[in-house]
Amino acid sequence: MHLTLHHPQSPCSPAPLPSDLPFSAVIVHDEARIARLASRLAKTPSSRPTSLRKSTGGAHLGDSQATSVPLAPGASVGVGNYVTQLGLGTPATSYAMVVDTGSSLTWLQCSPCVVSCHRQAGPLYNPRASTTYAAVPCSAPQCGELQAATLNPSACSASGVCIYQATYGDSSFSLGYLSRDTVSFGSGRFPGFYYGCGQDNEGLFGRSAGLIGLARNKLSLLYQLAPSLGDSFSYCLPTSASPGYLSIGSYTPAEYSYTPMVSSSLDASLYFVSLASMSVAGSPLAVSPSEYGSLATIIDSGTVITRLPTAVYTALSKALGAAMGGAPRAPAYSILDTCFKGQVSKLRVPAVDMAFAGGATLKLAPGNVLIDVDESTTCLAFAATDSTAIIGNTQQQTFSVVYDVAQSRIGFAAGGCS
């Protein structure tokens, strides 16, 4: 199953973010995602009540359906995610959906949207128009899986319908009814797909209809389609100038170099890897090899700026600055403290390599190393952390990345979007 994947600010995206969105907003939401991932691994959720009922007493599904449930922040969706099209229902209607490897549950906005819906491209999904739609009862085992999928407990309406809550670190959230319907991609149709039918959806989701979850959980899109397509997926995250792809199922193993998926007791649903070394202009960073493994490291499609252990980042910043050939420095931009005057396309950027356990290496192009934050400033697209290290999507752009869950490995191949 092969889908077109769009950069969040591509003019060709079916649900683009504003083209004039300042990069400072990207960083703010990136920081929210990082903070939530860190608290998620530390297992310290907070809670906030919400309900499937308008606070003004307006229209809703009826008192028999209304309930109040706790709401805890999850991993921020933010503005760094990529968008593809998903078909749902019979007859099928296509919806623009955010793709997220850090989330498990797939959900989209549903009419009658009893509390709140953000503005989306195209009409809301109407379950009454689908001949294959079914609400999921609280007694179904899938209702019990929601705790692991969303890190929030499920709830039950007075009429026995299972209620989900998917929550994100920037205070975005979706709340609604766990449902089942036929999902489709092109000519492929897969009946009995479990997802969230959102009735209260608030936050920064762009103009997308919802989110596709690809994490390691029984309710994720990957696991539900694995019996039909196989237990792997791959993608190429594109730049804003061209499309990429999301592919679920078989791939060509010989095209990739691999690193093992690292098992972690911190969170069984996220994808962990082991960063082994980095080099700038062919020279290894001046840092102890043990520093690379000092923090658990996640690979994530929704984080924009890669976070490195502080000692590794400091060595990278120093080495890059020395290798930039006297390029004029610019003031720090938010959390990005290694900045230069000009645009990345006009500067001589040294080669930077990221090597992983098992021998897989990302040989980063200039656009994977520096990121333009405004018309006159470009910055190193890495930052320091003392909590959770993350391989973000700037470094993954234009590479083909395969998540082979069946063989517990992640592969990289250059030139994936071409």
Side-chain angles (χ1 to χ4, degrees):
M1 186 177 73
H2 200 76
L3 311 172
T4 300
L5 198 60
H6 298 276
H7 187 277
Q9 290 182 284
S10 168
C12 297
S13 172
L17 290 164
S19 59
D20 59 351
L21 184 77
F23 196 75
S24 58
V26 175
I27 292 180
V28 166
H29 286 271
D30 219 38
E31 284 287 274
R33 184 179 182 96
I34 298 300
R36 174 48 195 161
L37 284 171
S39 65
R40 172 173 167 175
L41 297 183
K43 297 178 172 59
T44 56
S46 59
S47 62
R48 182 176 78 248
T50 189
S51 97
L52 280 179
R53 188 199 304 261
K54 281 187 181 292
S55 59
T56 58
H60 51 76
L61 290 184
D63 290 341
S64 64
Q65 297 273 6
T67 190
S68 181
V69 291
L71 194 64
S76 170
V77 173
V79 296
N81 286 264
Y82 292 75
V83 175
T84 193
Q85 296 275 5
L86 171 147
L88 190 68
T90 305
T93 301
S94 185
Y95 301 93
M97 304 282 284
V98 162
V99 173
D100 189 8
T101 59
S103 298
S104 295
L105 181 69
T106 297
W107 62 265
L108 79 170
Q109 302 194 120
C110 289
S111 64
C113 193
V114 298
V115 181
S116 177
C117 279
H118 61 266
R119 185 182 175 210
Q120 74 175 56
L124 298 179
Y125 169 73
N126 181 5
R128 295 175 180 84
S130 173
T131 60
T132 47
Y133 172 84
V136 176
C138 299
S139 58
Q142 289 77 14
C143 189
E145 294 289 341
L146 283 173
Q147 174 73 52
T150 65
L151 305 184
N152 294 309
S154 62
C156 195
S157 74
S159 60
V161 175
C162 183
I163 295 174
Y164 77 92
Q165 42 184 327
T167 53
Y168 306 94
D170 61 355
S171 297
S172 301
F173 64 88
S174 175
L175 180 71
Y177 302 114
L178 188 63
S179 304
R180 188 177 73 251
D181 208 337
T182 295
V183 67
S184 57
F185 303 92
S187 60
R189 291 175 57 81
F190 306 90
F193 177 71
Y194 290 88
Y195 65 98
C197 191
Q199 299 296 315
D200 187 5
N201 317 284
E202 302 179 37
L204 187 60
F205 300 107
R207 294 185 64 198
S208 68
L211 180 145
I212 294 174
L214 286 171
R216 304 171 75 175
N217 179 270
K218 291 180 180 178
L219 287 181
S220 76
L221 179 74
L222 170 67
Y223 276 63
Q224 290 194 61
L225 299 190
S228 300
L229 298 176
D231 207 359
S232 65
F233 69 94
S234 60
Y235 58 63
C236 182
L237 304 180
T239 66
S240 59
S242 62
Y245 71 85
L246 168 67
S247 182
I248 298 179
S250 62
Y251 67 99
T252 306
E255 294 180 356
Y256 297 85
S257 60
Y258 298 93
T259 186
M261 287 184 186
V262 176
S263 297
S264 175
S265 59
L266 296 174
D267 192 312
S269 69
L270 298 176
Y271 297 99
F272 291 85
V273 293
S274 177
L275 181 63
S277 66
M278 293 186 67
S279 64
V280 175
S283 298
L285 296 185
V287 63
S288 168
S290 63
E291 294 290 347
Y292 291 99
S294 61
L295 299 175
T297 302
I298 298 165
I299 182 169
D300 181 39
S301 69
T303 298
V304 177
I305 303 300
T306 285
R307 268 63 169 189
L308 297 173
T310 299
V312 177
Y313 172 75
T314 300
L316 173 64
S317 173
K318 183 178 180 179
L320 184 86
M324 284 292 291
R329 298 294 289 262
Y333 186 96
S334 184
I335 63 168
L336 306 180
D337 61 11
T338 305
C339 298
F340 303 89
K341 294 179 180 179
Q343 299 280 277
V344 61
S345 61
K346 303 293 178 62
L347 295 174
R348 295 184 62 182
V349 183
V352 175
D353 290 354
M354 303 180 73
F356 297 86
T361 300
L362 287 176
K363 295 183 177 297
L364 304 180
N368 301 119
V369 177
L370 300 178
I371 190 166
D372 295 333
V373 298
D374 59 35
E375 294 180 354
S376 61
T377 307
T378 188
C379 298
L380 180 61
F382 294 79
T385 182
D386 292 319
S387 56
T388 306
I390 298 180
I391 309 302
N393 60 35
T394 300
Q395 285 63 48
Q396 298 177 59
Q397 277 185 6
T398 73
F399 289 91
S400 182
V401 184
V402 62
Y403 293 66
D404 189 336
V405 177
Q407 298 194 54
S408 193
R409 62 184 185 178
I410 292 176
F412 303 104
C417 293
S418 59

